Amino acid sequence: MTVDEIRELINLACETGIAELEVQRGENRVRIRRAGFAAQQEIVVAQQSYPAAMAPAAPAPAAAEPPQEPKSADTNLVLVKSPIVGTFYEGPSPGAPPFVRVGERVQPGKVLCIIESMKLMNEIEAETAGIVESKFVMNGQPVEYGEALFGVRAV
Amino acid sequence: MPLDIVRIRAAFPGRRIDYYRSIDSTMRAAAGLETGAVVLAGEQTAGQGRLGRAWHSEAGAGVYCSIVLKPAPLLTLALGLAARSAILDASGLTCDLRWPNDLMLADKKVGGILVQAADGHAIAGIGINVDQTAFPPEIASEATSLRLQWGRPPGLPSSTDILLALLPAIDRFLHRDPASILRLFAEASSYASGRRVTVRQPDGAIEGTTAGLDLSGFLIVRKDDGTDTLVLAGGVRASGS
């Protein structure tokens, strides 16, 4: 895919006013997500290497707006990130109470959520002791590799 | 028919194979065991399905098994292919694979696979309906067994026969490279492309036609408006079912 083609896609996204556009051509995938009036582009070249359990080769479909943005400069806030692309579940089954609520104190090893990828259920555990200060994704939402799920205030 | 655990253990010397005549869940029993360990049960009183659903586990009627594995690329697709291969070898019946790994005969589910990953291990739970002649009303329209599909009672493979084929098949398929797993899945599954499906997701259902898998093994569903959606989890059903 050429730069001109990508530019054309950005123009198309801006002209039509759509929030997000994803195009795959061969091994190249381009996703353009509009934030306000600024267009942002992300290019992921699909790879055959598979770090960890699953490949982060494919970006997740359009996600709902997260409840709030992760804080980046706060050194005491530990971000729990998704190790894979998948679907976020806050509890063990639909209708069940969530594994953890904002404001709750957690210890290392406490299960915080499940990320499902192709019927592989990954339990995501707290790695540090602290208080869950933020939850950045909603139940059932697709998440990407490395996407922040929780903010845990280390204590 | 009860499992012939002596025969199974003899076929895999040196491998840890725990057997319970009755247990709540083989998944629970397998947690914390070493890689390669196998947990088998004659029946499960609380067999686990996806997202907290139950897995019907009638005594002596099926394969109820959990295996501790190392996480691997495309693991759940490989497990579906392995189970399909084992059923074919033991019974001659060819299952369809409903993405990612439901084992289907005559558009009904004959087996299911769930993987739970934690602490660097992946525990694969495999349930295969072998000898059931009927199912509870709530799942009767979508479940079947090898016996119900076999049509020739003499010679029906036992759960032991299936397991003897299943464990080596899993080892074989887990050693395949991702590209060949994707290719084999595309060959084995009528759901891989061109199939009209409904995908149940937490925020509602989408409908479209399957358009292959991406390189990570996610299912591409092309909606009628021409846009593609990548299905990350499960919940794929043939439209109209």
Side-chain angles (χ1 to χ4, degrees):
Chain A
M1 198 174 283
T2 66
V3 172
D4 282 345
E5 285 173 320
I6 294 169
R7 189 175 290 127
E8 199 176 325
L9 290 171
I10 292 171
N11 288 338
L12 181 68
C14 293
E15 284 167 14
T16 56
I18 60 171
E20 187 165 329
L21 174 67
E22 188 171 338
V23 176
Q24 178 157 6
R25 209 167 283 172
E27 289 191 337
N28 295 328
R29 185 195 302 272
V30 175
R31 184 163 57 156
I32 298 157
R33 185 190 290 164
R34 295 177 72 241
F37 292 102
Q40 177 189 1
Q41 68 169 1
E42 178 183 346
I43 301 175
V44 178
V45 178
Q47 297 170 14
Q48 283 289 12
S49 61
Y50 292 81
M54 288 288 161
E65 283 299 311
Q68 57 188 106
E69 288 298 315
K71 299 168 188 170
S72 56
D74 190 339
T75 53
N76 279 330
L77 190 69
V78 178
L79 295 179
V80 179
K81 296 180 179 178
S82 178
I84 55 167
V85 176
T87 300
F88 173 89
Y89 298 115
E90 63 182 6
S93 59
F99 290 111
V100 70
R101 294 179 195 277
V102 170
E104 196 172 316
R105 183 180 289 263
V106 294
Q107 296 297 325
K110 160 76 177 170
V111 175
L112 302 176
C113 65
I114 288 173
I115 308 292
E116 178 182 10
S117 180
M118 292 188 272
K119 285 177 74 182
L120 187 139
M121 319 301 278
N122 287 266
E123 290 186 346
I124 309 300
E125 298 176 349
E127 291 183 354
T128 50
I131 293 170
V132 178
E133 191 172 277
S134 326
K135 189 180 93 172
F136 300 119
V137 287
M138 291 180 290
N139 192 41
Q141 183 181 318
V143 294
E144 298 191 36
Y145 172 76
E147 184 169 339
L149 308 170
F150 294 94
V152 177
R153 171 78 52 195
V155 291
Chain B
M1 185 187 295
L3 284 181
D4 186 345
I5 190 64
V6 173
R7 196 170 146 220
I8 294 169
R9 283 185 174 137
F12 307 101
R15 190 160 189 176
R16 176 170 180 169
I17 300 179
D18 293 357
Y19 171 67
Y20 299 86
R21 190 178 299 247
S22 178
I23 196 174
D24 51 357
S25 159
T26 59
M27 296 300 275
R28 191 195 55 74
L33 299 186
E34 68 267 27
T35 300
V38 179
V39 177
L40 306 174
E43 76 167 333
Q44 295 184 109
T45 55
Q48 298 174 22
R50 180 170 169 257
L51 299 179
R53 293 185 200 123
W55 182 264
H56 176 67
S57 307
E58 184 183 330
V63 170
Y64 314 119
C65 145
S66 289
I67 307 171
V68 185
L69 302 167
K70 286 182 187 163
L74 306 178
L75 175 63
T76 56
L77 295 180
L79 288 168
L81 286 164
R84 176 181 182 271
S85 169
I87 291 170
L88 180 61
D89 288 348
S91 72
L93 293 170
T94 303
C95 293
D96 193 5
L97 287 169
R98 184 171 64 191
W99 188 89
N101 54 20
D102 284 342
L103 296 151
M104 310 294 288
L105 283 171
D107 283 333
K108 291 185 170 185
K109 191 164 169 176
V110 74
I113 299 168
L114 181 71
V115 182
Q116 293 178 347
D119 299 330
H121 287 97
I123 301 175
I126 301 178
I128 299 172
N129 303 328
V130 178
D131 224 11
Q132 288 92 339
T133 53
F135 288 92
E138 62 272 19
I139 58 170
S141 65
E142 49 188 299
T144 191
S145 69
L146 297 182
R147 172 175 286 281
L148 287 169
Q149 296 301 320
W150 182 254
R152 291 173 285 148
L156 177 76
S158 65
S159 296
T160 300
D161 296 328
I162 304 286
L163 277 162
L164 288 171
L166 178 63
L167 297 180
I170 289 173
D171 290 340
R172 273 200 319 276
F173 277 90
L174 290 191
H175 283 96
R176 283 189 165 272
D177 63 282
S180 76
I181 291 173
L182 291 174
R183 179 176 52 78
L184 290 169
F185 183 87
E187 290 170 5
S189 171
S190 75
Y191 283 78
S193 66
R195 182 99 191 223
R196 195 76 191 156
V197 295
T198 302
V199 186
R200 302 170 190 163
Q201 296 185 311
D203 55 353
I206 60 165
E207 188 157 346
T209 304
T210 59
L213 307 188
D214 80 349
L215 289 176
S216 297
F218 295 122
L219 181 66
I220 301 164
V221 173
R222 188 154 297 156
K223 291 186 281 190
D224 292 341
D225 63 5
T227 59
D228 288 350
T229 296
L230 215 48
V231 183
L232 306 178
V236 175
R237 297 291 179 271
S239 287
S241 67

